[in-house]
Amino acid sequence: MSIIFGNIIFFPYLCSIYTNHMINIRKLETELWESADLLRQGSKLTSSQYCMPVLALLFLRYAYSRYKMVEAEILQSRPMRGGRVMPVEPSDFAAKSALYLPKEAQCDYVMANPPFNVDKVKAESASAAGRLPFGLPGVNAKTKEVGNANYLWISYFYAYLNDHGRAGFVMASSATDSANKDRDIREKLVRTGDVDVMVSVGNNFFYTLSLPCSLWFFDRNKNTDIRDKVLFIDARNYYTVVDRTLNEWTEWQLRNLQAIVHLYRGETEKYKALIADYDEALQGQTIESLEAAIQKQKAEAKQLIAEAQRKDKKRIEAEQNALVAELEETLEIARQREWLTSKFGDGEYQDILGLCKIATIQEIEEKNYSLTPGAYVGVAEQEDDGVDFHERMNEIHAQLAQLNQEAGVLMDEIQKAWEELKEK
């Protein structure tokens, strides 16, 4: 039965629909605010700083979901030629007020830096999202909350990938080897064959935190010959110091790490292209020639500054410092080229002790599905400095005995002086 007011028809059950709709809206609002609180946890970012990338991700997801829905509608009535359905075209989507996404735009790439070790995530809400292909992480039986959301993020990132998708994200170092439910999820994840590369990163790579982290890379479309393999890179000792609290990878260091991945994937031409870039940047200069040039430039700069008039000293000093800095930058490029080619030559991958190793799924199983690079790459051998250990220890022991003897004499003199002061 309906109630008619003018040209508007009201159905009584609309009231209940409206009520349920408002309840759902309020629930969504509450969950969004809670998510925002979690997003800010452990971070100094404000809502205005993270809103744009979040909104952009929401839009991209909406665009893709809308595309798939409209595509299904179009294909239902799509004409056929030669027994094949005609491909969809941009005009088909424009007619239905939807964005047309070319195939290359549907790869579902994911790049993320989620907050680490977030707790108090409602297990029911996480399950309801339908993005947990490997199941829930550990849940507190009393509070019904996920104790650590690291593997929620990992599962979400994986679930958003299509058959050709790739993901790369930052994660707490502890996640590579965490136990219990996390370990079970990690086993299922490894067995998919989609874990591509794991990288350990050292301390001080964040502006606000000093803790180490790991980089995870998934590839749903790995080459057949590496389908059952994972590349592990331990880059904790490979970085450039910016200052006391911050480290970074220079452009060339980052490209060197990428080169290792290229060789693992059999992309030798990319490695050779990097070597060509090195050679172009160096123009035949070597580490030895650049070190000599820097020493010469510093000596010339010292002389020029000493001979300059007072009013010109600061200008000349700045100019000379710039020349030295340019040479030192080129020297660093030469050193990075040497770092790379000393390990991989003209472009043939090999496991390097302490740096990288390609491990099979069977090897990972033997290590209880740990994804910690250090567990596979091992520890690099320390270079022999040519010093005899026992001889050096004897020298140190003799020096220590001499210092102790001198310390005893000084203590006697201090005590004597103190006694004299008390008598005055």
Side-chain angles (χ1 to χ4, degrees), residues 27-37:
K27 181 181 179 183
L28 175 61
E29 180 183 8
T30 300
E31 291 179 351
L32 285 174
W33 279 113
E34 289 179 352
S35 298
D37 290 338

Side-chain angles (χ1 to χ4, degrees), residues 198 343 376:
M198 297 293 300
K343 296 170 174 60
Y376 300 90

Side-chain angles (χ1 to χ4, degrees), residues 252 256 274-282 333 336-337 340:
W252 294 102
N256 280 355
L274 174 56
I275 298 302
D277 288 345
Y278 269 122
D279 293 341
E280 183 178 354
L282 292 172
I333 295 174
Q336 292 306 322
R337 186 190 191 283
L340 183 65

Side-chain angles (χ1 to χ4, degrees), residues 128-354:
R131 296 289 175 182
L132 299 175
F134 311 115
L136 271 170
V139 176
N140 186 304
K142 184 177 180 180
T143 63
K144 306 299 182 184
E145 294 174 338
V146 175
N148 189 311
N150 288 343
Y151 273 82
L152 283 181
W153 292 116
I154 293 170
S155 296
Y156 286 166
F157 299 150
Y158 182 87
Y160 274 108
L161 300 178
N162 62 22
D163 292 340
H164 299 275
R166 287 180 174 179
F169 54 89
V170 185
M171 184 51 63
S173 292
S174 58
T176 61
D177 207 23
S178 50
N180 303 321
K181 287 285 188 178
D182 288 357
R183 182 263 177 213
D184 297 339
I185 293 174
R186 196 166 54 249
E187 176 183 352
K188 295 174 184 176
L189 180 60
V190 168
R191 287 195 170 279
T192 65
D194 297 329
V195 180
D196 192 25
V197 182
M198 297 293 300
V199 182
S200 284
V201 183
N203 295 325
N204 296 333
F205 268 75
F206 295 98
Y207 285 105
T208 57
L209 298 171
S210 63
L211 75 166
C213 65
S214 56
L215 304 180
W216 297 52
F217 296 92
F218 298 158
D219 187 351
R220 297 291 306 277
N221 192 34
K222 287 166 67 175
N223 295 334
T224 304
D225 55 343
I226 58 171
R227 188 71 197 164
D228 65 337
K229 298 178 176 68
V230 177
L231 171 63
F232 291 95
I233 299 176
D234 190 344
R236 290 176 296 174
N237 297 316
Y238 185 56
Y239 56 84
T240 295
V241 177
V242 178
D243 57 37
R244 182 177 55 83
T245 61
L246 184 63
N247 298 327
E248 69 173 10
W249 287 318
T250 65
E251 175 191 354
W252 294 102
Q253 286 177 320
L254 188 59
R255 294 183 69 181
N256 280 355
L257 292 174
Q258 291 170 340
I260 300 174
V261 178
H262 293 325
L263 292 179
Y264 151 70
R265 292 175 178 165
E267 299 169 339
T268 309
E269 70 284 354
K270 293 183 178 180
Y271 177 90
K272 292 181 177 179
L274 174 56
I275 298 302
D277 288 345
Y278 269 122
D279 293 341
E280 183 178 354
L282 292 172
Q283 293 294 309
Q285 299 175 97
T286 64
I287 294 176
E288 292 76 15
S289 68
L290 286 163
E291 287 177 338
I294 290 172
Q295 293 303 316
K296 180 181 179 182
Q297 185 62 49
K298 286 182 176 180
E300 291 178 357
K302 184 177 181 180
Q303 183 177 353
L304 287 171
I305 294 169
E307 295 174 352
Q309 296 182 14
R310 185 173 182 180
K311 63 183 181 64
D312 297 327
K313 282 186 181 294
K314 286 187 177 180
R315 175 181 59 80
I316 292 176
E317 183 177 7
E319 292 172 352
Q320 293 302 311
N321 286 342
L323 291 173
V324 172
E326 184 177 350
L327 286 170
E328 288 178 338
E329 183 178 339
T330 306
L331 173 60
E332 181 58 25
I333 295 174
R335 286 172 174 163
Q336 292 306 322
R337 186 190 191 283
E338 173 66 19
W339 183 92
L340 183 65
T341 56
S342 66
K343 296 170 174 60
F344 305 105
D346 293 330
E348 183 176 351
Y349 175 86
Q350 60 178 337
D351 293 338
I352 303 296
L353 188 64

